[in-house]
Amino acid sequence: MDRSHGRSLTGKSVFLGGHLLIILICGWLLFSDGLSQLGHLVHRDLQWTDPNRACILFACALLYGIRHGITLFYLLARKVEYGEVFGLLLFMALFEIGLLLIGGGAFGTEPVPFRPFDVVAVVLVLIGSGLNSGSEIQRKLWKKDPANRGHCYTGGLFRYSMHINYFGDTVLFTGWSLLTVNHWTLALPLMMAASFIFFHIPALDAYLDDRYGEEFRAYAARTRKFIPFIY
């Protein structure tokens, strides 16, 4: 991944535009006749057996899309490559449309009653979103101070975890998956956590070590890597 700074307005615009298209497809499936047309395509009688739950899952996609736009055009300083853009758009299409269809009962026979556990799932979505975006905004504001230029940010929510933003996304997707009431969808946050721990975090740590040297190593020695207070 190229971590050099750059505006990449075209790439970021394509990325956000593609994500908005995915959300529009979700809306077409849910609020128009998209699901019936999809059923004709796959030769199955598809219908929303749990439309209320589907609406909540659509709201999750909408929230994620808004956060994605803020990240791309306000928080993200590095360049965005087209390989990354199209790879992540494919992933987003699979999980946003897939979770909507599964949780909305497109393949089921009867709705699942709302339970107190669904409230927990919604809270996880909100907490995860806040951890990710909140930590990134804190860092962005800190970096605006010229006195902090060339230094490693270790404050705010990042004092509890070196990669609290990644942890926030994992919490978000855990709640999102739980809302489908299908235990197989929990493979999504598990794979995401594994990707962070074994791929993204080691690569980013190597980059930060090279950029900030002893300042980063001291931070790494006193701070949990991923899960606050645990790991």
Side-chain angles (χ1 to χ4, degrees):
M1 181 184 295
D2 184 2
R3 296 192 179 277
S4 58
H5 286 197
R7 299 183 70 185
S8 297
L9 287 179
T10 302
K12 291 178 179 179
S13 297
V14 170
F15 200 177
L16 183 60
H19 194 180
L20 291 176
L21 177 60
I22 294 168
I23 295 173
L24 286 173
I25 291 172
C26 289
W28 172 68
L29 289 168
L30 180 58
F31 300 113
S32 186
D33 64 342
L35 189 62
S36 62
Q37 292 191 34
L38 178 62
H40 290 313
L41 184 65
V42 298
H43 305 292
R44 290 191 60 175
D45 181 21
L46 300 180
Q47 56 182 325
W48 298 110
T49 57
D50 206 339
N52 292 329
R53 188 174 295 276
C55 286
I56 295 176
L57 290 163
F58 177 76
C60 290
L62 193 59
L63 172 63
Y64 191 63
I66 293 170
R67 287 185 49 238
H68 186 213
I70 294 171
T71 298
L72 285 175
F73 290 99
Y74 175 65
L75 297 172
L76 192 64
R78 67 171 178 83
K79 295 179 180 179
V80 174
E81 299 175 331
Y82 282 105
E84 176 187 5
V85 167
F86 293 115
L88 286 175
L89 282 176
L90 176 60
F91 174 64
M92 288 174 170
L94 289 173
F95 77 74
E96 291 188 1
I97 297 173
L99 293 180
L100 177 68
L101 292 173
I102 293 170
F107 309 108
T109 57
E110 57 185 33
V112 179
F114 284 105
R115 312 152 300 164
F117 199 68
D118 290 309
V119 177
V120 175
V122 171
V123 170
L124 289 177
V125 170
L126 297 176
I127 289 176
S129 298
L131 287 175
N132 183 284
S133 294
S135 63
E136 295 280 8
I137 290 171
Q138 287 178 327
R139 179 166 58 186
K140 178 78 172 183
L141 295 175
W142 181 85
K143 285 188 173 184
K144 283 187 174 182
D145 187 345
N148 296 324
R149 185 166 299 168
H151 292 286
C152 180
Y153 179 61
T154 63
L157 291 167
F158 280 97
R159 71 165 58 95
Y160 303 108
S161 164
M162 294 170 61
H163 303 281
I164 191 70
N165 49 345
Y166 291 164
F167 176 68
D169 262 353
T170 304
V171 172
L172 156 67
F173 279 92
T174 299
W176 199 340
S177 297
L178 287 173
L179 282 169
T180 67
V181 202
N182 184 308
H183 65 275
W184 289 108
T185 62
L186 289 173
L188 174 62
L190 287 175
M191 289 189 296
M192 178 173 287
S195 174
F196 287 146
I197 292 170
F198 297 112
F199 177 69
H200 294 285
I201 288 176
L204 181 55
D205 283 357
Y207 167 80
L208 294 173
D209 184 272
D210 181 65
R211 181 172 182 179
Y212 297 111
E214 186 56 38
E215 187 177 2
F216 172 75
R217 288 190 283 274
Y219 170 54
R222 67 176 185 270
T223 310
R224 298 298 183 184
K225 192 172 291 290
F226 185 57
I227 305 175
F229 311 111
I230 298 175
Y231 168 72

